Amino acid sequence: MEIWQRTRVTAICVTHDVDEAILLADRVVMMTNGPRARIGNIMPVDLPRPRTRTALLEHPKYYDYREELMTFLEEHERQQITAA
């Protein structure tokens, strides 16, 4: 977050941490599972900056973003289990 504040350049961060994705991102690109993974969904994150974990947890939109991400992950996990 410090690098972005100084440079304001676009950066890509790969994470499996839903909370970290919401904290850092302006857009979260959700990928499908597997070696042939594709973009499954793109979720814009419209939260004020600078962001802190404490402020994030207190913001009402945070829980909507988290629910959207978790639902996507659960649906794709179920699809992978069904396909196996």
Side-chain angles (χ1 to χ4, degrees):
M1 289 186 351
E2 290 174 25
I3 293 170
W4 179 83
Q5 285 178 331
R6 277 184 294 152
T7 64
R8 303 291 170 126
V9 298
T10 299
I12 297 173
C13 176
V14 177
T15 184
H16 290 98
D17 185 322
V18 170
D19 298 312
E20 180 179 57
I22 298 168
L23 176 67
L24 297 175
D26 292 321
R27 283 185 303 273
V28 176
V29 179
M30 294 170 257
M31 303 296 292
T32 61
N33 296 328
R36 294 182 183 219
R38 297 179 186 264
I39 293 174
N41 193 17
I42 299 174
M43 180 184 75
V45 178
D46 183 26
L47 295 172
R49 289 191 181 271
R51 297 179 192 156
T52 63
R53 289 187 188 276
T54 303
L56 190 67
L57 294 173
E58 294 172 355
H59 198 287
K61 284 177 128 180
Y62 160 75
Y63 296 97
D64 294 334
Y65 292 132
R66 193 170 201 289
E67 180 65 26
E68 183 175 340
L69 282 168
M70 294 303 294
T71 299
F72 175 86
L73 293 172
E74 289 169 2
E75 287 174 359
H76 284 82
E77 184 177 342
R78 257 187 268 120
Q79 288 175 3
Q80 186 175 11
I81 291 170
T82 305

PDB file of all heavy atoms in Angstrom, residues 1-3 5 7 9 11 13-14 16 19 23 25 30-31 40 44 47 50 61 63-64 67 77 79 81 84:
ATOM      1  N   MET A   1       0.826  -1.191   0.000  1.00  0.00           N
ATOM      2  CA  MET A   1       0.000   0.000   0.000  1.00  0.00           C
ATOM      3  C   MET A   1       0.869   1.253   0.000  1.00  0.00           C
ATOM      4  O   MET A   1       0.504   2.249  -0.608  1.00  0.00           O
ATOM      5  CB  MET A   1      -0.954  -0.016   1.184  1.00  0.00           C
ATOM      6  CG  MET A   1      -2.034  -1.055   0.998  1.00  0.00           C
ATOM      7  SD  MET A   1      -3.409  -1.208   2.156  1.00  0.00           S
ATOM      8  CE  MET A   1      -3.085  -0.203   3.497  1.00  0.00           C
ATOM      9  N   GLU A   2       2.008   1.185   0.661  1.00  0.00           N
ATOM     10  CA  GLU A   2       2.924   2.331   0.683  1.00  0.00           C
ATOM     11  C   GLU A   2       3.475   2.619  -0.706  1.00  0.00           C
ATOM     12  O   GLU A   2       3.585   3.781  -1.098  1.00  0.00           O
ATOM     13  CB  GLU A   2       4.072   2.071   1.653  1.00  0.00           C
ATOM     14  CG  GLU A   2       3.647   2.071   3.102  1.00  0.00           C
ATOM     15  CD  GLU A   2       4.784   1.670   4.030  1.00  0.00           C
ATOM     16  OE1 GLU A   2       5.959   1.840   3.657  1.00  0.00           O
ATOM     17  OE2 GLU A   2       4.473   1.177   5.118  1.00  0.00           O
ATOM     18  N   ILE A   3       3.815   1.568  -1.444  1.00  0.00           N
ATOM     19  CA  ILE A   3       4.334   1.757  -2.805  1.00  0.00           C
ATOM     20  C   ILE A   3       3.281   2.428  -3.678  1.00  0.00           C
ATOM     21  O   ILE A   3       3.576   3.362  -4.417  1.00  0.00           O
ATOM     22  CB  ILE A   3       4.779   0.407  -3.414  1.00  0.00           C
ATOM     23  CG1 ILE A   3       5.992  -0.127  -2.666  1.00  0.00           C
ATOM     24  CG2 ILE A   3       5.081   0.555  -4.905  1.00  0.00           C
ATOM     25  CD1 ILE A   3       6.354  -1.555  -3.024  1.00  0.00           C
ATOM     26  N   GLN A   5       0.823   4.365  -2.714  1.00  0.00           N
ATOM     27  CA  GLN A   5       0.641   5.759  -2.299  1.00  0.00           C
ATOM     28  C   GLN A   5       1.731   6.667  -2.865  1.00  0.00           C
ATOM     29  O   GLN A   5       1.460   7.807  -3.228  1.00  0.00           O
ATOM     30  CB  GLN A   5       0.610   5.870  -0.774  1.00  0.00           C
ATOM     31  CG  GLN A   5      -0.694   5.377  -0.189  1.00  0.00           C
ATOM     32  CD  GLN A   5      -0.715   5.447   1.319  1.00  0.00           C
ATOM     33  OE1 GLN A   5       0.317   5.340   1.969  1.00  0.00           O
ATOM     34  NE2 GLN A   5      -1.896   5.605   1.882  1.00  0.00           N
ATOM     35  N   THR A   7       3.712   5.958  -5.704  1.00  0.00           N
ATOM     36  CA  THR A   7       3.868   5.925  -7.159  1.00  0.00           C
ATOM     37  C   THR A   7       2.570   6.039  -7.941  1.00  0.00           C
ATOM     38  O   THR A   7       2.583   6.458  -9.089  1.00  0.00           O
ATOM     39  CB  THR A   7       4.555   4.614  -7.583  1.00  0.00           C
ATOM     40  OG1 THR A   7       3.697   3.513  -7.237  1.00  0.00           O
ATOM     41  CG2 THR A   7       5.909   4.464  -6.915  1.00  0.00           C
ATOM     42  N   VAL A   9       1.006   3.759  -9.424  1.00  0.00           N
ATOM     43  CA  VAL A   9       1.054   2.924 -10.617  1.00  0.00           C
ATOM     44  C   VAL A   9       0.211   1.669 -10.396  1.00  0.00           C
ATOM     45  O   VAL A   9      -0.032   1.245  -9.275  1.00  0.00           O
ATOM     46  CB  VAL A   9       2.507   2.513 -10.991  1.00  0.00           C
ATOM     47  CG1 VAL A   9       3.344   3.738 -11.307  1.00  0.00           C
ATOM     48  CG2 VAL A   9       3.140   1.690  -9.908  1.00  0.00           C
ATOM     49  N   ALA A  11      -0.550  -2.101 -10.124  1.00  0.00           N
ATOM     50  CA  ALA A  11       0.214  -3.265  -9.677  1.00  0.00           C
ATOM     51  C   ALA A  11      -0.721  -4.466  -9.626  1.00  0.00           C
ATOM     52  O   ALA A  11      -1.921  -4.316  -9.411  1.00  0.00           O
ATOM     53  CB  ALA A  11       0.819  -3.013  -8.304  1.00  0.00           C
ATOM     54  N   CYS A  13      -1.277  -8.080  -7.701  1.00  0.00           N
ATOM     55  CA  CYS A  13      -0.921  -8.870  -6.533  1.00  0.00           C
ATOM     56  C   CYS A  13      -1.755 -10.147  -6.571  1.00  0.00           C
ATOM     57  O   CYS A  13      -2.974 -10.082  -6.670  1.00  0.00           O
ATOM     58  CB  CYS A  13      -1.225  -8.084  -5.263  1.00  0.00           C
ATOM     59  SG  CYS A  13      -0.938  -9.007  -3.746  1.00  0.00           S
ATOM     60  N   VAL A  14      -1.096 -11.287  -6.516  1.00  0.00           N
ATOM     61  CA  VAL A  14      -1.798 -12.567  -6.501  1.00  0.00           C
ATOM     62  C   VAL A  14      -1.892 -13.023  -5.058  1.00  0.00           C
ATOM     63  O   VAL A  14      -0.876 -13.083  -4.350  1.00  0.00           O
ATOM     64  CB  VAL A  14      -1.057 -13.618  -7.352  1.00  0.00           C
ATOM     65  CG1 VAL A  14      -1.758 -14.956  -7.279  1.00  0.00           C
ATOM     66  CG2 VAL A  14      -0.933 -13.139  -8.794  1.00  0.00           C
ATOM     67  N   HIS A  16      -4.411 -15.599  -2.158  1.00  0.00           N
ATOM     68  CA  HIS A  16      -5.530 -16.487  -1.861  1.00  0.00           C
ATOM     69  C   HIS A  16      -6.277 -16.000  -0.628  1.00  0.00           C
ATOM     70  O   HIS A  16      -7.180 -16.662  -0.145  1.00  0.00           O
ATOM     71  CB  HIS A  16      -5.024 -17.914  -1.644  1.00  0.00           C
ATOM     72  CG  HIS A  16      -4.529 -18.547  -2.888  1.00  0.00           C
ATOM     73  ND1 HIS A  16      -3.192 -18.578  -3.201  1.00  0.00           N
ATOM     74  CD2 HIS A  16      -5.172 -19.129  -3.912  1.00  0.00           C
ATOM     75  CE1 HIS A  16      -3.040 -19.190  -4.368  1.00  0.00           C
ATOM     76  NE2 HIS A  16      -4.226 -19.518  -4.825  1.00  0.00           N
ATOM     77  N   ASP A  19      -9.531 -11.336   2.448  1.00  0.00           N
ATOM     78  CA  ASP A  19      -9.468 -10.048   3.138  1.00  0.00           C
ATOM     79  C   ASP A  19      -8.340  -9.169   2.593  1.00  0.00           C
ATOM     80  O   ASP A  19      -8.511  -7.963   2.438  1.00  0.00           O
ATOM     81  CB  ASP A  19      -9.300 -10.261   4.641  1.00  0.00           C
ATOM     82  CG  ASP A  19     -10.494 -11.001   5.229  1.00  0.00           C
ATOM     83  OD1 ASP A  19     -11.633 -10.597   4.928  1.00  0.00           O
ATOM     84  OD2 ASP A  19     -10.288 -11.977   5.967  1.00  0.00           O
ATOM     85  N   LEU A  23      -8.665  -5.476   0.886  1.00  0.00           N
ATOM     86  CA  LEU A  23      -7.885  -4.389   1.474  1.00  0.00           C
ATOM     87  C   LEU A  23      -7.039  -3.670   0.429  1.00  0.00           C
ATOM     88  O   LEU A  23      -6.978  -2.445   0.389  1.00  0.00           O
ATOM     89  CB  LEU A  23      -6.976  -4.940   2.583  1.00  0.00           C
ATOM     90  CG  LEU A  23      -6.025  -3.939   3.242  1.00  0.00           C
ATOM     91  CD1 LEU A  23      -6.802  -2.894   4.037  1.00  0.00           C
ATOM     92  CD2 LEU A  23      -5.031  -4.665   4.124  1.00  0.00           C
ATOM     93  N   ALA A  25      -7.089  -4.011  -3.160  1.00  0.00           N
ATOM     94  CA  ALA A  25      -7.503  -3.879  -4.557  1.00  0.00           C
ATOM     95  C   ALA A  25      -8.498  -2.762  -4.836  1.00  0.00           C
ATOM     96  O   ALA A  25      -9.306  -2.395  -3.997  1.00  0.00           O
ATOM     97  CB  ALA A  25      -8.107  -5.197  -5.022  1.00  0.00           C
ATOM     98  N   MET A  30     -11.262 -12.614 -10.069  1.00  0.00           N
ATOM     99  CA  MET A  30     -11.427 -13.963  -9.527  1.00  0.00           C
ATOM    100  C   MET A  30     -11.209 -14.981 -10.631  1.00  0.00           C
ATOM    101  O   MET A  30     -11.741 -14.838 -11.730  1.00  0.00           O
ATOM    102  CB  MET A  30     -12.825 -14.109  -8.935  1.00  0.00           C
ATOM    103  CG  MET A  30     -13.049 -13.228  -7.722  1.00  0.00           C
ATOM    104  SD  MET A  30     -14.767 -13.201  -7.205  1.00  0.00           S
ATOM    105  CE  MET A  30     -15.257 -11.609  -7.853  1.00  0.00           C
ATOM    106  N   MET A  31     -10.401 -15.965 -10.324  1.00  0.00           N
ATOM    107  CA  MET A  31     -10.036 -16.988 -11.303  1.00  0.00           C
ATOM    108  C   MET A  31     -10.763 -18.302 -10.999  1.00  0.00           C
ATOM    109  O   MET A  31     -10.997 -18.631  -9.839  1.00  0.00           O
ATOM    110  CB  MET A  31      -8.525 -17.232 -11.266  1.00  0.00           C
ATOM    111  CG  MET A  31      -7.684 -15.991 -11.499  1.00  0.00           C
ATOM    112  SD  MET A  31      -7.890 -15.270 -13.137  1.00  0.00           S
ATOM    113  CE  MET A  31      -7.156 -16.541 -14.153  1.00  0.00           C
ATOM    114  N   GLY A  40     -13.059 -15.622 -13.921  1.00  0.00           N
ATOM    115  CA  GLY A  40     -14.441 -15.995 -13.636  1.00  0.00           C
ATOM    116  C   GLY A  40     -15.323 -14.791 -13.366  1.00  0.00           C
ATOM    117  O   GLY A  40     -16.498 -14.783 -13.708  1.00  0.00           O
ATOM    118  N   PRO A  44     -15.288  -4.818  -8.808  1.00  0.00           N
ATOM    119  CA  PRO A  44     -14.724  -3.522  -8.431  1.00  0.00           C
ATOM    120  C   PRO A  44     -14.850  -3.330  -6.914  1.00  0.00           C
ATOM    121  O   PRO A  44     -15.847  -3.729  -6.315  1.00  0.00           O
ATOM    122  CB  PRO A  44     -15.587  -2.503  -9.164  1.00  0.00           C
ATOM    123  CG  PRO A  44     -16.528  -3.260 -10.022  1.00  0.00           C
ATOM    124  CD  PRO A  44     -16.496  -4.693  -9.602  1.00  0.00           C
ATOM    125  N   LEU A  47     -13.923   1.398  -2.017  1.00  0.00           N
ATOM    126  CA  LEU A  47     -13.786   1.769  -0.611  1.00  0.00           C
ATOM    127  C   LEU A  47     -12.791   2.919  -0.518  1.00  0.00           C
ATOM    128  O   LEU A  47     -11.843   2.988  -1.300  1.00  0.00           O
ATOM    129  CB  LEU A  47     -13.279   0.574   0.213  1.00  0.00           C
ATOM    130  CG  LEU A  47     -14.222  -0.625   0.301  1.00  0.00           C
ATOM    131  CD1 LEU A  47     -13.527  -1.795   0.975  1.00  0.00           C
ATOM    132  CD2 LEU A  47     -15.491  -0.263   1.040  1.00  0.00           C
ATOM    133  N   PRO A  50      -6.852   6.219   2.337  1.00  0.00           N
ATOM    134  CA  PRO A  50      -6.104   5.001   2.618  1.00  0.00           C
ATOM    135  C   PRO A  50      -6.959   4.024   3.416  1.00  0.00           C
ATOM    136  O   PRO A  50      -7.869   4.429   4.152  1.00  0.00           O
ATOM    137  CB  PRO A  50      -4.898   5.489   3.429  1.00  0.00           C
ATOM    138  CG  PRO A  50      -5.339   6.769   4.046  1.00  0.00           C
ATOM    139  CD  PRO A  50      -6.362   7.366   3.113  1.00  0.00           C
ATOM    140  N   LYS A  61     -19.783  -1.916   3.451  1.00  0.00           N
ATOM    141  CA  LYS A  61     -19.626  -2.546   2.136  1.00  0.00           C
ATOM    142  C   LYS A  61     -18.642  -3.719   2.169  1.00  0.00           C
ATOM    143  O   LYS A  61     -18.696  -4.601   1.321  1.00  0.00           O
ATOM    144  CB  LYS A  61     -19.131  -1.528   1.107  1.00  0.00           C
ATOM    145  CG  LYS A  61     -20.181  -0.576   0.613  1.00  0.00           C
ATOM    146  CD  LYS A  61     -19.538   0.411  -0.327  1.00  0.00           C
ATOM    147  CE  LYS A  61     -20.277   0.483  -1.627  1.00  0.00           C
ATOM    148  NZ  LYS A  61     -19.642   1.448  -2.549  1.00  0.00           N
ATOM    149  N   TYR A  63     -18.452  -6.296   4.018  1.00  0.00           N
ATOM    150  CA  TYR A  63     -19.104  -7.601   4.166  1.00  0.00           C
ATOM    151  C   TYR A  63     -19.799  -8.035   2.878  1.00  0.00           C
ATOM    152  O   TYR A  63     -19.857  -9.221   2.571  1.00  0.00           O
ATOM    153  CB  TYR A  63     -20.052  -7.583   5.371  1.00  0.00           C
ATOM    154  CG  TYR A  63     -19.265  -7.366   6.642  1.00  0.00           C
ATOM    155  CD1 TYR A  63     -19.139  -6.105   7.201  1.00  0.00           C
ATOM    156  CD2 TYR A  63     -18.587  -8.419   7.237  1.00  0.00           C
ATOM    157  CE1 TYR A  63     -18.382  -5.902   8.346  1.00  0.00           C
ATOM    158  CE2 TYR A  63     -17.814  -8.227   8.383  1.00  0.00           C
ATOM    159  CZ  TYR A  63     -17.723  -6.965   8.925  1.00  0.00           C
ATOM    160  OH  TYR A  63     -16.951  -6.768  10.039  1.00  0.00           O
ATOM    161  N   ASP A  64     -20.294  -7.083   2.111  1.00  0.00           N
ATOM    162  CA  ASP A  64     -20.873  -7.407   0.796  1.00  0.00           C
ATOM    163  C   ASP A  64     -19.787  -7.911  -0.155  1.00  0.00           C
ATOM    164  O   ASP A  64     -19.984  -8.901  -0.861  1.00  0.00           O
ATOM    165  CB  ASP A  64     -21.557  -6.184   0.184  1.00  0.00           C
ATOM    166  CG  ASP A  64     -22.769  -5.739   0.982  1.00  0.00           C
ATOM    167  OD1 ASP A  64     -23.380  -6.580   1.677  1.00  0.00           O
ATOM    168  OD2 ASP A  64     -23.103  -4.537   0.908  1.00  0.00           O
ATOM    169  N   GLU A  67     -18.681 -11.403   0.972  1.00  0.00           N
ATOM    170  CA  GLU A  67     -19.699 -12.400   0.634  1.00  0.00           C
ATOM    171  C   GLU A  67     -19.648 -12.747  -0.852  1.00  0.00           C
ATOM    172  O   GLU A  67     -19.754 -13.916  -1.232  1.00  0.00           O
ATOM    173  CB  GLU A  67     -21.094 -11.890   1.012  1.00  0.00           C
ATOM    174  CG  GLU A  67     -22.218 -12.845   0.699  1.00  0.00           C
ATOM    175  CD  GLU A  67     -22.168 -14.136   1.507  1.00  0.00           C
ATOM    176  OE1 GLU A  67     -21.601 -14.140   2.614  1.00  0.00           O
ATOM    177  OE2 GLU A  67     -22.701 -15.157   1.013  1.00  0.00           O
ATOM    178  N   GLU A  77     -15.588 -24.274  -6.151  1.00  0.00           N
ATOM    179  CA  GLU A  77     -15.099 -25.461  -5.442  1.00  0.00           C
ATOM    180  C   GLU A  77     -16.088 -26.614  -5.623  1.00  0.00           C
ATOM    181  O   GLU A  77     -15.696 -27.742  -5.891  1.00  0.00           O
ATOM    182  CB  GLU A  77     -14.910 -25.156  -3.960  1.00  0.00           C
ATOM    183  CG  GLU A  77     -14.324 -26.309  -3.182  1.00  0.00           C
ATOM    184  CD  GLU A  77     -14.065 -25.969  -1.728  1.00  0.00           C
ATOM    185  OE1 GLU A  77     -14.016 -24.770  -1.390  1.00  0.00           O
ATOM    186  OE2 GLU A  77     -13.912 -26.899  -0.927  1.00  0.00           O
ATOM    187  N   GLN A  79     -18.162 -27.017  -8.119  1.00  0.00           N
ATOM    188  CA  GLN A  79     -18.093 -27.444  -9.519  1.00  0.00           C
ATOM    189  C   GLN A  79     -16.897 -28.366  -9.732  1.00  0.00           C
ATOM    190  O   GLN A  79     -17.004 -29.350 -10.462  1.00  0.00           O
ATOM    191  CB  GLN A  79     -17.992 -26.236 -10.450  1.00  0.00           C
ATOM    192  CG  GLN A  79     -19.271 -25.457 -10.569  1.00  0.00           C
ATOM    193  CD  GLN A  79     -19.103 -24.202 -11.407  1.00  0.00           C
ATOM    194  OE1 GLN A  79     -18.047 -23.926 -11.965  1.00  0.00           O
ATOM    195  NE2 GLN A  79     -20.158 -23.397 -11.481  1.00  0.00           N
ATOM    196  N   ILE A  81     -15.490 -30.319  -7.468  1.00  0.00           N
ATOM    197  CA  ILE A  81     -15.769 -31.598  -6.795  1.00  0.00           C
ATOM    198  C   ILE A  81     -16.734 -32.423  -7.642  1.00  0.00           C
ATOM    199  O   ILE A  81     -16.547 -33.621  -7.830  1.00  0.00           O
ATOM    200  CB  ILE A  81     -16.339 -31.348  -5.378  1.00  0.00           C
ATOM    201  CG1 ILE A  81     -15.237 -30.761  -4.478  1.00  0.00           C
ATOM    202  CG2 ILE A  81     -16.898 -32.632  -4.778  1.00  0.00           C
ATOM    203  CD1 ILE A  81     -15.733 -30.262  -3.151  1.00  0.00           C
ATOM    204  N   ALA A  84     -15.106 -34.048 -10.678  1.00  0.00           N
ATOM    205  CA  ALA A  84     -14.089 -35.103 -10.396  1.00  0.00           C
ATOM    206  C   ALA A  84     -14.663 -36.491 -10.355  1.00  0.00           C
ATOM    207  O   ALA A  84     -15.697 -36.875 -10.422  1.00  0.00           O
ATOM    208  CB  ALA A  84     -13.398 -34.806  -9.076  1.00  0.00           C
TER     209      ALA A  84
END
